[in-house]
Amino acid sequence: MAQFTLNINGKQQQVDVAEDTPLLWVLRDHIKLVGTKYGCGISQCGACTVHLDGTATRSCSIPVSAIGNKKVVTIEGLSKNGDHPVQKAWIEHDVAQCGYCQAGQIMSASALLDKNSNPSDEEIYSAMNGNICRCGTYLRIRSAIHSAASNMNA
Amino acid sequence: MTLVKTSYNRRSFLKTSAAAGGGLLIGFNWLVSCKPTPKQLLEMPEEWFNINSYIKIGNNGVTTIFSANPEIGQNVKTSMPMIVAEELDIDWKKVIVEQTNLNTEKYDRQLAGGSQSIRHGWQGLRMAGATGRRMLLEAAAKEWQVPVSELTTKNGTISHSSGKSAGYGEFAQAASQLSVPEEVELKDPKDFKIIGTPTKNVDGPKLVKGEPLFGLDYNKEGMLIAMIVHAPSFGMKPKSIDDSAVKGMAGIKDVFTIDSATPEGEEASWSETNAFHQLVVIVGNSTWEVMKAKKALKIEWEKVSSSENTVDQISKLDELITQKSDEPRRSDGNTDKAFKNAAKVIEKNYYAPFLAHNTMEPMNFFADVNANKAELVGPIQTPAELRSSVHKYTGIPEENIDVMMTRMGGGFGRRLYGNFGLEAALISKKVNAPVKLIYTREDDMTQGTYRPMYAMKYRAALDKNNKLIGFHVRAAGINSAPLFPDRYPAGTVDNYLAESHSLESNVSTGAWRAPSSNFVAYAEQSFLDEVAEAAGKDPIDFRLELFDRAMTDPVGENNDYDAERYAGVLKMVHEKSNWGEKKEGVYRGVSAYYCHNSYVAQVVDVALNNGEPQIQKIWCVVDCGVVVNPDGAINQVEGGIVDGIGHAMYSALTMTDGKPDQDNFNRYQLIRIKDTPFEIETHFVQNGIDPTGLGEPTLPPISAAVANAMYRAIGKRLTKQPFTQQLKEDVVEPA
């Protein structure tokens, strides 16, 4: 066990965990931020996506010891009131079916829009291809990202 | 208006206590204990009054509608309360929806399966709303000393012809004291204001904020984490366990085995349907600690039954479809003779692999079991069945077992089988502490309950005028017989024979989104396309001719479809897709199927991109009667299509020596965003018929529409799923 101080959603958080503990389980079990989901544990499904210094990162595959001073943002910290343009677009397009993957989808989409404010379909496919939606809401995900982009640029 | 006796489903209206006390937003259950927004807090009434088991009205008119059915992503938590709200005649914006626990005294059929929630709920939910409205009217009539007949309602307000009006909240207390009326008036569907209006998912705002809604998110003070280890292969069980490396590991509390096998002489229930009953269990403080211990555990396994291989399973099924059945499932006319006299005989075999459900949220359940009481929380499609299993194994009376249904991160049939809930209860009992059982993805994907492997042989006989005079289907499946003997084209052919075989296996199989239909539709609708071609007919015209026969002069009496509605969706998809129009470089396929009480027809456009077939657009026409929530309905339609394409194109579970070859998404391919067709255009038939379900019906036909379009593009009939594998295996010449 070791002590780690992490910057999560703008707050310093102390945890005492084994150093190989994936960030995902630190968030879920120790900080009780359960919006970040477990889906596969091997970076194949994207349900656990968070922002690490602004980059979409699979939290299931990065140990807590590798975080250091990097800023972690989870779905709970993406906006104060759930009003990030991507979150609003997800509501506007009523994207979710079961909804389990959607936090990861939203984190991937918001990281994409941070870097590319007006992505093409192809750019959306390439940024979002690591996020599986078992319910098959991909068409709405694509539309919602375009809406969020145009709202951000308006 | 229609007058309806409330005797149907009457126990649903049993009143509990009149005043339910204030502040029920907190306390009813943890799912709604997520902090209410400031706006919600302002609107909270000081006091709530229970009108019936579906409706609670606050003194300020804010209304809670209870959603009793499990929410699995089919959006019933929105659409079912919409039905209650419609008949209650309130403003949807003032509605709060709360998920109920399992309560078989108050609610019927708290089950998610077979696309039946809306169909079964329709009448009862309308009556719940209409009963509430009637009681509020009676309370107002008494208060104002006027006859009920002079009162009207609109958006939660009662008005009298004199001009007097007041909100429902004013009468909620008085209404809650009244007895349930004997008869209620239901709205004329023409007057629906909420039903038929696109309405957003009530959990949408919580989902986009990552609030704890799912079973895996559940937490209780002092809760331990448990994981299971099941045998690596079907046909094995644990022989000995060496936990010496594990017992000293940080955070590990206990290692033991449980046995969830159904007691001898008793029939296995839903929650006991599982290949692996003897499980090694590790319990500890946190997920990662338990995951690490799981890897360090040394278990010796022993073989108790055969170790199967996919190649052998395929050849056994292939052998079975060559064998006559002694007991045909249906036989009309004389098929042998028809084939003997045929001018043309068309024959084809179709195959499909095992599929895992792969819900994004792996199996999990919370249980807190002590001597005479159990609390169970988690994602389950069949909560009542889980409760009865837990009762059977623990002896705890059912009335002391509380089952709380969380939102489910997908089900697709997997969560009909609540073995994981029963396992959680057995583990909690053993450690005498609250426990959350979590399956890893690997546990989840390798433990079975798969969609069975299937094989199917079709034969068709045409006379010299290309009329279909004989039809023969022979089906085989692992632990199942994928055949619906009375479905189309039964009833349209004079000589019809349907036979089936089942191949017993120790691989556990189960219902997977649109059970059997997910394969039968593909095989049947691919085959009919080939028969139409052999007959020199347009594939839609050919199908419609058969429906004409079914309408004018049906063969047999037990035909399990309405030929007019079936033909209706085909005609509409013909019109909407401009079927028959030639587009350069575009190849089209059509398919139609009826299952789960809804009718679906689909047209697919495929184009060749450097010789590779690519799906461009899909037209989908659905007849499910009244569409309760058009936005949610389109989402279901699109999801079913994308799911159907994904599994037909890419997915398979195979096994070697009883061990699944795929255990995670690096080996098991699921459809992703870049493989998704660019556009899906959905149309609903507007006919005012009572609604049927949408969770399943759009999935089965799509794989045939794709296969039929692919055939026109590449000249190859796709007879084996997954198609990508067949496309790789076969050398494909451009058409």
Side-chain angles (χ1 to χ4, degrees), chain B residues 204-265:
Chain B
K206 288 176 182 169
L207 284 167
V208 303
K209 286 190 278 183
E211 290 189 16
L213 295 167
F214 299 94
L216 206 71
D217 304 341
Y218 189 75
N219 183 45
K220 189 177 181 176
E221 199 60 36
M223 176 182 86
L224 298 171
I225 299 292
M227 287 197 172
I228 49 120
V229 186
H230 66 68
S233 305
F234 291 93
M236 290 187 120
K237 67 168 187 144
K239 188 180 178 191
S240 65
I241 303 158
D242 174 5
D243 60 8
S244 52
V246 174
K247 283 251 159 115
M249 285 175 78
I252 298 306
K253 297 274 188 192
D254 208 349
V255 177
F256 52 90
T257 57
I258 55 168
D259 190 342
S260 62
T262 306
E264 211 152 313

Side-chain angles (χ1 to χ4, degrees), chain B residues 181-193:
Chain B
E182 291 293 319
E183 276 184 340
V184 285
E185 286 164 345
L186 295 182
K187 279 188 178 177
D188 186 322
K190 283 199 285 291
D191 300 325
F192 285 164
K193 281 179 292 192

Side-chain angles (χ1 to χ4, degrees), chain B residues 25-61:
Chain B
L25 236 201
I26 10 173
F28 180 77
N29 77 33
W30 77 283
L31 292 170
V32 290
S33 68
C34 311
K35 277 184 211 126
T37 62
K39 184 171 158 273
Q40 279 174 340
L41 278 176
L42 277 178
E43 288 169 356
M44 278 301 100
E46 286 152 13
E47 219 173 340
W48 287 106
F49 302 97
N50 283 331
I51 305 299
N52 60 41
S53 45
Y54 287 95
I55 302 165
K56 185 171 77 177
I57 299 181
N59 62 316
N60 63 352

Side-chain angles (χ1 to χ4, degrees), chain A residues 22-37:
Chain A
L23 175 61
L24 169 67
W25 297 111
V26 172
L27 293 169
R28 289 187 60 87
D29 281 0
H30 301 276
I31 307 177
K32 307 291 181 204
L33 289 174
V34 294
T36 307
K37 301 302 190 213

